[in-house]
Amino acid sequence: MAAIVEARTLSSSLKILSKKCPVISFVCSKRLRHDDSSAEQSYDIVIAGGGMVGTTLACALANNRRLESKKILLLEASNKFSYTPQEKYSNRVVALNKNTRILLSSIGAWKHIESVRHTPVRKMQVWDACSDAMITFNEDHLEEDLAYIVENDLLLHAVDTILSGKNSVKIINNAKIDDIILSNTTGADSRLHLESGESFRTKLLIGADGHKSRVRQAMGAKYVDWDYGQMGIVATVQLSEPTENIVAWQRFLPTGPVALLPLTSSLSSLVWSMTTEEAKRLLKVTEEEFVDNLNDALWKSFPKDTIVDGAMKGLTKLLDDLQLQNGATRQLQPSISHIVEGSRAAFPLGFGHAVKYVQPGVALVGDAAHRVHPLAGQGVNLGFGDVTALVQVLGDAVENGAIVSDEAYLNKYESMRQWNNIPTMLAIDALHRLYKGTATPIVLARSLGLQLTNAIKPLKV
């Protein structure tokens, strides 16, 4: 009885102090909420982050016959997503590769993209502004698709439409994570607490919450990152003349690459990388001045180094003597007449990679695990590759009688993805650094390498 009276007295004292001191009130309420396990909802899998990768992951997990019985929670920090088809194209698009299309088709989302719009890329032409070096892809097989240009919002709409029919997945919007307590022990539950006061327990927590991932921070995983000191300007641009527009164009400038991705016969999507200072300037100039600068980036002739020029001519003759020329011819890039009003925007560019993608009861996917320069258009495809691998591994775990947080299976996922992601990321970073250089030896090396790769078809695969 004395203990009960003492507890009630302590409780009353805390209430009085809480009213007088907001800090004590916050600490006490947070501590009590974290300790009140009876108020926590339990899930097999919780996904933090409902962007393109996180939502696709939730859908793929629910769609997998081996995992369809698992109770899944998707936490999204923003408002409930809504999509209304519009004639005007969004300035935020992705270039999806064939593997990503296969993933989206397997969960039933691709048909919803096809029913609205997407644009196939059937050829790619990449060239160096400082030399005559050029490489083309799919020159002889224009009926094959290299990639598919899809608006971010449309892709998210397609996946969200499929997800809405999955009873095993609950979605909470405006879900701001207040605290994460990881289990650090195989089989034990991790715990999440939202600013709204809701609390959850889960066997497996998956971080799909972007390059500033709260889940990765909670893991304490070492994160190797750097800022490129660049921004990528995006916009929807009007071509000077209508064309078949099935080509993705990319020109490497000393200041960064400029790329045009096809949308319609007269519209393309621009991705233009440059220094942060120059990007901020170009966001403020008039449309006419912006278009003039863009056409210069696409067409301006830069002084050619005589050593590089002579070496290129020598290589061309050697390849011709060896009958290694593949018949590829330079196709003239389009000019831009104007930009679609309100479509200019920019985002910072950087590199990031988590040394560890997993630990007991937790895994990272997408930008939470890795971030790359957009010059190769591979960022989101790496994330979708994570989705495919993780769903496969978790399905294998359940089929073999293991729990979804089994450390052996999570480690297998990490190995699969790092063997794929790290070489790709390092190659992209190396390309970025290689094409920033203007010294003769650098320009010579990359020009000869590009031209040689273009001539020897197996190297292009």
Side-chain angles (χ1 to χ4, degrees):
M1 179 65 72
I4 294 174
V5 171
E6 186 177 342
R8 287 177 177 172
T9 303
L10 177 59
S11 178
S12 299
S13 300
L14 285 175
K15 288 181 180 178
I16 293 170
L17 286 170
S18 296
K19 290 179 181 179
K20 294 181 178 295
C21 182
V23 173
I24 292 177
S25 175
F26 171 78
V27 173
C28 290
S29 63
K30 187 171 182 178
R31 176 62 182 271
L32 289 171
R33 171 159 53 85
H34 284 198
D35 291 343
D36 185 11
S37 60
S38 64
E40 293 176 330
Q41 302 172 49
S42 181
Y43 288 87
D44 295 301
I45 301 172
V46 172
I47 302 170
M52 291 185 291
V53 172
T55 304
T56 301
L57 174 60
C59 196
L61 289 169
N63 194 68
N64 188 287
R65 61 176 179 80
R66 299 179 295 180
L67 299 166
E68 59 188 2
S69 64
K70 299 302 177 184
K71 191 178 177 185
I72 301 167
L73 175 64
L74 178 63
L75 300 174
E76 169 52 34
S78 62
N79 296 329
K80 181 176 174 57
F81 176 74
S82 61
Y83 174 80
T84 303
Q86 297 182 4
E87 182 178 351
K88 182 178 178 180
Y89 276 81
S90 168
N91 62 0
R92 298 182 62 200
V93 305
V94 286
L96 305 179
N97 62 26
K98 291 182 179 180
N99 288 334
T100 297
R101 176 178 172 171
I102 291 171
L103 169 64
L104 295 174
S105 296
S106 71
I107 61 176
W110 186 256
K111 63 184 179 184
H112 293 290
I113 293 174
E114 282 190 314
S115 67
V116 181
R117 62 191 180 197
H118 73 287
T119 308
V121 175
R122 297 201 172 98
K123 180 182 175 183
M124 183 179 295
Q125 180 169 298
V126 180
W127 71 107
D128 193 335
C130 296
S131 74
D132 292 326
M134 177 194 73
I135 188 169
T136 61
F137 295 92
N138 224 26
E139 178 79 20
D140 302 324
H141 304 89
L142 295 182
E143 72 280 1
E144 298 178 7
D145 297 335
L146 289 174
Y148 309 90
I149 310 303
V150 179
E151 294 157 281
N152 292 22
D153 285 351
L154 174 55
L155 192 157
L156 191 54
H157 161 71
V159 178
D160 197 53
T161 299
I162 298 297
L163 192 59
S164 64
K166 303 295 182 182
N167 296 327
S168 61
V169 181
K170 179 180 178 180
I171 304 171
I172 298 180
N173 290 100
N174 297 307
K176 306 293 193 300
I177 296 176
D178 177 46
D179 194 18
I180 299 173
I181 304 172
L182 298 180
S183 66
N184 293 320
T185 304
T186 300
D189 288 353
S190 293
R191 300 161 70 185
L192 292 92
H193 307 280
L194 305 185
E195 291 181 2
S196 64
E198 294 177 280
S199 297
F200 307 96
R201 303 176 74 94
T202 182
K203 294 296 181 187
L204 178 60
L205 173 61
I206 300 174
D209 48 345
H211 73 274
K212 296 181 179 179
S213 171
R214 285 289 304 274
V215 176
R216 188 185 68 239
Q217 292 170 20
M219 288 172 63
K222 184 177 180 181
Y223 188 62
V224 180
D225 68 315
W226 51 79
D227 190 329
Y228 284 123
Q230 289 188 325
M231 297 186 79
I233 289 185
V234 293
T236 305
V237 298
Q238 179 83 39
L239 306 184
S240 297
E241 296 180 358
T243 176
E244 188 179 8
N245 207 14
I246 58 172
V247 182
W249 309 89
Q250 181 160 268
R251 189 186 197 197
F252 279 99
L253 303 161
T255 52
V258 56
L260 295 177
L261 307 174
L263 294 176
T264 70
S265 61
S266 57
L267 293 176
S268 286
S269 184
L270 169 71
V271 185
W272 187 7
S273 303
M274 64 193 71
T275 63
T276 300
E277 295 73 21
E278 180 66 3
K280 290 179 177 179
R281 183 187 75 81
L282 287 175
L283 288 176
K284 297 176 182 178
V285 300
T286 63
E287 177 188 322
E288 183 179 0
E289 185 176 348
F290 182 86
V291 170
D292 285 345
N293 278 264
L294 176 55
N295 281 321
D296 275 350
L298 291 168
W299 285 92
K300 181 180 177 180
S301 296
F302 287 77
K304 299 292 191 297
D305 188 288
T306 54
I307 296 176
V308 175
D309 194 43
M312 287 291 293
K313 289 178 179 177
L315 177 61
T316 300
K317 185 178 185 307
L318 175 62
L319 292 173
D320 189 48
D321 291 343
L322 295 173
Q323 298 183 338
L324 283 175
Q325 294 286 29
N326 62 3
T329 56
R330 182 184 295 275
Q331 184 176 342
L332 292 180
Q333 64 273 26
S335 296
I336 308 304
S337 63
H338 65 273
I339 59 174
V340 174
E341 185 179 358
S343 68
R344 256 188 295 180
F347 57 93
L349 306 181
F351 177 98
H353 188 257
V355 174
K356 291 287 293 179
Y357 289 8
V358 303
Q359 66 182 44
V362 61
L364 302 174
V365 296
D367 285 358
H370 41 73
R371 180 187 182 202
V372 295
H373 196 287
L375 67 87
Q378 289 303 305
V380 74
N381 289 303
L382 293 180
F384 285 126
D386 295 343
V387 169
T388 300
L390 185 56
V391 172
Q392 176 190 328
V393 166
L394 296 182
D396 290 345
V398 171
E399 187 172 50
N400 294 329
I403 57 177
V404 291
S405 58
D406 188 289
E407 194 171 359
Y409 287 91
L410 293 182
N411 286 335
K412 181 180 179 182
Y413 157 72
E414 179 182 79
S415 296
M416 290 170 62
R417 292 312 297 158
Q418 290 203 351
W419 273 104
N420 178 85
N421 293 345
I422 292 175
T424 302
M425 294 176 69
L426 293 178
I428 292 171
D429 182 69
L431 277 174
H432 164 71
R433 297 178 187 280
L434 182 63
Y435 277 93
K436 281 180 65 178
T438 56
T440 298
I442 295 175
V443 176
L444 177 62
R446 74 191 188 208
S447 297
L448 294 177
L450 193 67
Q451 203 65 23
L452 192 61
T453 303
N454 190 58
I456 303 174
K457 292 184 180 181
L459 295 178
K460 296 165 69 173
V461 177

